[in-house]
Amino acid sequence: MKGTSLRLFLATIVIVFTVCTIMADDFCRAPVTDEISKKMEVEESGTENVENEAVIETERIMPSVKTKPDSLLHRFKAEEEQIKEKSTYSLMTDDIDHNIFINKVDGYTVRIPRTMRVDMEFSEIRAVLENQELRIEIYRQKLDQGKGLGIESYINYSNRFIENQIDHKNELQETIQEGDLSIQLLQWSRKPLARIAEDKCYYASVEMPLDDKKEVITFLFKNSRPFENKNYLEIVSSLKLIPVTEQPYTRAIKHVENKSWNEETAKVYQHYFGQNSKLHWGIFETNAPLDFNELKKIEGKLEFTFPVLLYYTGILEGKEMHPNLSKALENAKRERRLLELTLQSVEQMPGEGNMVYDVLDGKYDRYLKNYAGAVAASGEPILFRLGNEMNGDWCVYSSHHTSKDTEIYKAFYRYVYSIFEKAGADNVIWVWNPNGKSFPDFKWNDELCYYPGDEYVDVIGMTSYNTGTYYQSENWTEFDQMYDALYNKYTKRYDKPLMITEFSSSSVGGSKDAWVENMFRHIDKYDRIKVAIWWDGCDWDAEGNVARSYFIDETEELVRVFRENLARYR
């Protein structure tokens, strides 16, 4: 009797466990299942009611994360992220070859090929639809007409890259009139780039104003073969507006442990960027680290030695090696300074086109291999900042210059990363550094569109300057006015250590001494900012006059303010 009772008891336990497992599994999938049966009501005029249609969800590959695959916590979090993303859209069968994509965040539907995968990881910015041949990015952009941003200025500024006819072949440019709305169409191509697999180098952009002309929807098409008879217009013409029913979802940018570092680099990272690390200071001084004389004079006045130095380098035409890189690395090592080494592509000679395209076509392979080799050979830990401020139109690697296509920058970043990996550069801490504000401040130029992936970034860089009032369009901005909002945004977006890779204040338009005092009062409250680097120099106007004076020792009073406040960081 006891044996029978025991067997019944054990059987009951098994059944309960099985039921609980199924219920838990169903619970995780519930939002997706609910979508399948959910009635979609489209209330806007001229939009079909999609009630009773079967809804299907396309599976998207989640970004790779360096975590044990059997980690239950990781699996749960990944599934939770997937559910949140999928709540922002639906796919509904239209016919055997097409689905209706329903964007619940931006409030529209479009008819797309059934083979297309959906990426809504940054749904507050855009929707991405992609298959092997075609990629579509869709942006719904509000226009601040109070600041002079109308349809025409948005379109003209967005498409200025087409003026570069060395790299871009303008194939078609026309206006399609729909009632009192003018739809702008631009079609172009560039040559395939050798370092991009299955390069989609045929483009079309369609800007469609909405009825009130306070918004515009931008379609950016990329194809691996030439477009036939503007066939992308079939997708554009299927656009229908619907009510917004979901809040935006933005994928969490995750911290990923870098296991490729050598022992010394891992220690340096922990020292500067560990959770309990204090704030460390750095400086850009024009001559250092090639020459320390001027820097040491400044440090003598301030009675402070800066442990971090910012040094700029470029990808140079006609060179196989950067002429000063090895010396800079050696000098920084000798002086026991951590180098924030910055590498940028630069503007080429007239008639040469955009250097980023040439890098991705293999033209600078030898230069980059030698550069990475020199960094690896030094063995010293460095902070490496590649292509900073990419969301600023003053950078030639910004998508403002490369077809509004942020995938070009990401390919550039990942390609250089791969060169460093092959060189065995296990002493590199990778810093990804957008500008604090995007210029132009359009969705297709949002910093997240440039993000190369969690596994390619160790530290997030922040940059925002008080540029002063030398130019009429600029304003005097206090430190906390800039960094309160920026810090709040970054801590929400990025689960990675933060550093201010460069910042400063002009002396034109206000009291620079008071600005620095205010900066020291506030900076310690940003506990995730681990390094801050003052930019000691100036910007010049077109006539060669100093427009923005950022010098750290500009006046005796300013020197006193820095000296007294830096004392607590010694």
Side-chain angles (χ1 to χ4, degrees):
M1 192 67 182
K2 289 182 179 178
T4 303
S5 298
L6 181 60
R7 284 193 296 272
L8 286 172
F9 176 75
L10 291 174
T12 303
I13 292 295
V14 170
I15 292 169
V16 170
F17 178 79
T18 304
V19 170
C20 288
T21 303
I22 293 169
M23 288 177 68
D25 188 57
D26 286 344
F27 176 76
C28 288
R29 292 188 170 92
V32 177
T33 306
D34 287 345
E35 284 300 329
I36 295 176
S37 60
K38 187 178 178 181
K39 181 168 72 174
M40 298 294 301
E41 294 183 358
V42 182
E43 299 175 357
E44 294 223 357
S45 174
T47 307
E48 295 177 6
N49 190 316
V50 291
E51 182 181 9
N52 301 324
E53 289 284 355
V55 178
I56 58 173
E57 299 284 353
T58 18
E59 184 177 345
R60 202 172 64 74
I61 298 174
M62 296 297 290
S64 61
V65 180
K66 298 174 186 175
T67 312
K68 292 181 180 180
D70 58 348
S71 168
L72 292 177
L73 179 61
H74 165 65
R75 180 183 171 186
F76 174 75
K77 287 183 176 179
E79 287 185 356
E80 186 179 34
E81 290 276 313
Q82 216 169 37
I83 289 167
K84 287 179 180 178
E85 180 181 351
K86 288 185 175 182
S87 71
T88 63
Y89 72 94
S90 293
L91 283 176
M92 306 182 63
T93 302
D94 186 57
D95 60 34
I96 193 171
D97 295 320
H98 296 89
N99 288 326
I100 301 295
F101 168 66
I102 303 164
N103 188 328
K104 303 176 187 179
V105 173
D106 276 340
Y108 63 80
T109 71
V110 286
R111 184 173 180 265
I112 61 173
R114 194 166 187 170
T115 55
M116 303 204 91
R117 302 180 302 277
V118 178
D119 178 350
M120 291 284 280
E121 66 176 2
F122 303 135
S123 64
E124 65 178 313
I125 300 164
R126 67 182 183 183
V128 178
L129 312 166
E130 189 165 17
N131 60 22
Q132 189 171 354
E133 288 188 348
L134 177 66
R135 177 183 173 94
I136 310 170
E137 298 173 7
I138 307 176
Y139 303 87
R140 186 167 181 171
Q141 177 75 49
K142 291 184 178 179
L143 302 174
D144 191 346
Q145 296 177 338
K147 295 183 178 179
L149 181 60
I151 297 284
E152 187 174 341
S153 57
Y154 170 79
I155 293 171
N156 290 341
Y157 200 47
S158 295
N159 294 333
R160 196 172 291 173
F161 66 86
I162 202 67
E163 295 173 6
N164 170 10
Q165 297 181 22
I166 298 167
D167 294 314
H168 308 119
K169 180 182 178 183
N170 188 342
E171 298 174 347
L172 181 65
Q173 196 165 2
E174 64 179 46
T175 302
I176 302 171
Q177 204 66 34
E178 290 284 343
D180 64 342
L181 297 179
S182 299
I183 299 171
Q184 300 297 321
L185 187 157
L186 178 64
Q187 185 177 310
W188 71 99
S189 61
R190 58 169 172 76
K191 72 174 184 177
L193 302 174
R195 301 299 181 256
I196 299 181
E198 300 176 353
D199 189 13
K200 296 179 174 71
C201 57
Y202 298 92
Y203 294 84
S205 176
V206 180
E207 265 95 20
M208 176 181 288
L210 301 186
D211 288 341
D212 58 7
K213 298 185 180 179
K214 294 180 181 178
E215 289 184 283
V216 60
I217 290 187
T218 293
F219 290 83
L220 179 64
F221 297 89
K222 294 176 59 178
N223 209 20
S224 58
R225 58 181 180 177
F227 292 106
E228 296 178 2
N229 301 320
K230 299 183 285 190
N231 53 354
Y232 46 84
L233 289 179
E234 294 178 11
I235 295 173
V236 175
S237 63
S238 73
L239 176 76
K240 295 177 182 178
L241 300 183
I242 62 171
V244 171
T245 58
E246 290 290 340
Q247 292 297 310
Y249 158 80
T250 299
R251 176 178 78 80
I253 302 300
K254 299 180 179 67
H255 172 71
V256 176
E257 182 183 357
N258 192 328
K259 296 181 179 179
S260 66
W261 289 325
N262 61 34
E263 185 177 353
E264 181 61 25
T265 303
K267 287 180 181 178
V268 165
Y269 176 85
Q270 192 60 37
H271 174 72
Y272 283 96
F273 298 104
Q275 189 171 356
N276 298 319
S277 299
K278 66 176 185 178
L279 178 67
H280 290 82
W281 285 90
I283 191 170
F284 165 75
E285 192 283 314
T286 309
N287 302 299
L290 299 179
D291 185 336
F292 277 88
N293 288 328
E294 188 61 34
L295 176 58
K296 289 188 175 182
K297 289 178 185 177
I298 292 171
E299 291 178 332
K301 295 177 188 177
L302 303 180
E303 299 175 10
F304 185 84
T305 300
F306 292 95
V308 185
L309 297 182
L310 168 57
Y311 180 58
Y312 292 91
T313 61
I315 302 173
L316 305 178
E317 287 186 84
K319 303 284 186 181
E320 291 193 356
M321 180 64 191
H322 191 282
N324 299 319
L325 177 60
S326 294
K327 182 179 179 181
L329 293 167
E330 290 167 7
N331 288 358
K333 180 179 181 178
R334 186 184 66 248
E335 293 287 334
R336 301 174 65 85
R337 313 290 181 113
L338 177 63
L339 205 59
E340 183 197 344
L341 180 61
T342 298
L343 178 63
Q344 302 168 325
S345 67
V346 298
E347 199 165 337
Q348 297 191 116
M349 296 292 289
E352 291 297 317
N354 193 305
M355 181 180 283
V356 172
Y357 290 139
D358 288 339
V359 168
L360 289 171
D361 208 32
K363 181 178 176 180
Y364 289 94
D365 280 3
R366 184 180 294 276
Y367 180 93
L368 291 169
K369 288 175 182 177
N370 289 337
Y371 189 105
V375 170
S378 77
E380 280 296 295
I382 65 161
L383 304 173
F384 185 62
R385 184 174 66 146
L386 174 64
N388 60 302
E389 301 175 17
M390 72 299 294
N391 55 331
D393 59 9
W394 52 86
C395 298
V396 295
Y397 39 84
S398 167
S399 67
H400 177 69
H401 301 282
T402 58
S403 299
K404 293 186 290 194
D405 186 2
T406 53
E407 296 298 297
I408 295 295
Y409 172 84
K410 288 155 72 172
F412 164 68
Y413 188 105
R414 292 167 182 164
Y415 181 57
V416 174
Y417 186 99
S418 73
I419 291 174
F420 273 68
E421 274 193 319
K422 291 173 183 174
D426 58 0
N427 55 327
V428 175
I429 298 167
W430 288 81
V431 180
W432 178 77
N433 179 198
N435 195 56
K437 182 179 179 181
S438 295
F439 292 90
D441 194 11
F442 301 157
K443 284 189 174 183
W444 57 258
N445 195 41
D446 188 279
E447 69 195 54
L448 286 177
C449 298
Y450 293 91
Y451 184 67
D454 294 342
E455 63 268 44
Y456 298 97
V457 177
D458 301 311
V459 176
I460 302 292
M462 309 169 73
T463 299
S464 191
Y465 280 74
N466 172 33
T467 55
T469 60
Y470 185 86
Y471 296 104
Q472 190 173 3
S473 60
E474 296 179 331
N475 299 304
W476 182 272
T477 312
E478 295 296 330
F479 177 81
D480 56 315
Q481 291 176 321
M482 292 189 296
Y483 280 92
D484 277 0
L486 192 60
Y487 182 79
N488 184 53
K489 181 175 80 168
Y490 276 37
T491 51
K492 288 179 179 177
R493 283 187 169 185
Y494 307 110
D495 182 24
K496 290 179 182 286
L498 305 175
M499 68 177 288
I500 302 178
T501 55
E502 56 182 274
F503 81 115
S504 201
S505 174
S506 172
S507 55
V508 180
S511 170
K512 186 172 178 178
D513 304 339
W515 192 97
V516 173
E517 288 275 21
N518 178 64
M519 178 267 291
F520 277 113
R521 280 196 299 272
H522 286 278
I523 195 165
D524 284 328
K525 71 185 180 185
Y526 310 128
D527 58 349
R528 281 182 53 193
I529 295 178
K530 301 301 185 181
V531 175
I533 296 180
W534 182 272
W535 201 88
D536 177 64
C538 67
D539 290 341
W540 308 86
D541 68 13
E543 284 72 43
N545 303 306
V546 174
R548 303 175 184 131
S549 178
Y550 294 129
F551 297 110
I552 198 169
D553 59 346
E554 192 167 356
T555 65
E556 287 299 322
E557 178 61 17
L558 185 61
V559 168
R560 182 195 66 78
V561 171
F562 269 107
R563 182 174 60 245
E564 291 182 359
N565 283 282
L566 286 172
R568 68 178 187 261
Y569 299 98
R570 292 194 188 107

